[in-house]
Amino acid sequence: AQSVSQHNHHVILSEAASLELGCNYSYGGTVNLFWYVQYPGQHLQLLLKYFSGDPLVKGIKGFEAEFIKSKFSFNLRKPSVQWSDTAEYFCAVTLNTGGFKTIFGAGTRLFVKA
Amino acid sequence: SQTIHQWPATLVQPVGSPLSLECTVEGTSNPNLYWYRQAAGRGLQLLFYSVGIGQISSEVPQNLSASRPQDRQFILSSKKLLLSDSGFYLCAWSVKGAPTDTQYFGPGTRLTVL
């Protein structure tokens, strides 16, 4: 069965530290890849997405993610986190089969200490 | 601009009682609509999606049902709630014809079944 794994459920960093959140998926076909973020008290919203082309995708607020097809990975990175990045981050994979199935990871709660 | 509303925001219901959660979308026509459930420590699980009025597809068999009586209205229901129905319910929409594209999420309803 298809699945999405996020390796860390909780991450605590100090401001200015670098961030990398892991995401791996299990599906051999064509996929669209997403990172969504939920800031405290706000709706879940899109951070960045990959459909095709350059595997290094840049999103809002200085985030980027790299699609490595051979590793079935789509890790999220930010070189220097801020206190305002405290949020829960979800990796999601949509199977490009003409259907509607989107599979979400369990999420990673990031807490950035000021 | 498009907005998505869900109500109620929180709900506490006894086991065996009925359920009705409502989701409405403004600022777009003929969207794809989705219901997700997020259980603690787990990712979002797709429950239902709809491509049009009266058209509902179920992803997971359970005692919940969904209806789409109007183009931009999506309702999640149950005749008799179970303890296991507790969770955070999210409604989302995406652009028609692009089911694998970005989904836009509502604020969610936290349901506690006692």
Side-chain angles (χ1 to χ4, degrees):
Chain A
Q2 303 93 0
S3 64
V4 175
S5 298
Q6 291 185 240
H7 311 305
N8 308 98
H9 295 296
H10 294 90
V11 174
I12 301 174
L13 295 174
S14 298
E15 276 197 312
S18 64
L19 170 72
E20 181 159 3
L21 301 183
C23 173
N24 286 88
Y25 65 93
S26 61
Y27 179 68
T30 304
V31 295
N32 299 326
L33 300 159
F34 304 81
W35 276 97
Y36 287 89
V37 61
Q38 187 165 27
Y39 297 102
Q42 296 188 27
H43 299 198
L44 193 65
Q45 59 186 282
L46 182 71
L47 194 59
L48 49 78
K49 63 184 179 184
Y50 171 82
F51 280 14
S52 62
D54 188 343
L56 185 62
V57 179
K58 295 191 184 297
I60 61 172
K61 303 186 179 184
F63 284 89
E64 64 178 32
E66 185 176 11
F67 172 47
I68 302 179
K69 189 174 182 180
S70 61
K71 295 185 177 180
F72 299 91
S73 69
F74 191 54
N75 292 355
L76 181 70
R77 300 193 293 249
K78 185 171 183 178
S80 176
V81 295
Q82 301 173 308
W83 175 80
S84 58
D85 293 324
T86 294
E88 189 162 16
Y89 294 81
F90 293 90
C91 181
V93 173
T94 300
L95 310 183
N96 206 342
T97 59
F100 292 74
K101 191 159 189 175
T102 298
I103 304 167
F104 283 80
T108 298
R109 287 185 183 272
L110 171 65
F111 180 72
V112 180
K113 298 184 291 184
Chain B
S1 63
Q2 301 88 4
T3 55
I4 178 169
H5 305 279
Q6 284 185 247
W7 63 91
T10 60
L11 189 61
V12 179
Q13 292 284 96
V15 169
S17 64
L19 173 74
S20 181
L21 303 182
E22 190 164 342
C23 169
T24 59
V25 181
E26 296 176 358
T28 187
S29 295
N30 201 20
N32 300 317
L33 294 172
Y34 310 81
W35 276 112
Y36 288 89
R37 177 171 57 203
Q38 182 183 13
R42 303 180 66 179
L44 279 67
Q45 180 186 36
L46 179 64
L47 302 175
F48 301 94
Y49 65 86
S50 171
V51 300
I53 296 173
Q55 300 178 66
I56 309 295
S57 295
S58 174
E59 284 290 310
V60 182
Q62 57 213 323
N63 70 320
L64 298 172
S65 62
S67 62
R68 185 169 177 175
Q70 300 180 45
D71 180 45
R72 290 170 289 176
Q73 184 184 31
F74 205 23
I75 297 172
L76 183 69
S77 303
S78 174
K79 292 181 179 178
K80 287 186 176 182
L81 283 169
L82 306 173
L83 286 174
S84 57
D85 291 325
S86 292
F88 191 58
Y89 289 83
L90 284 166
C91 181
W93 70 274
S94 68
V95 172
K96 174 64 68 182
T100 55
D101 205 335
T102 304
Q103 293 180 33
Y104 301 91
F105 289 85
T109 295
R110 186 160 302 282
L111 171 66
T112 303
V113 182
L114 302 175

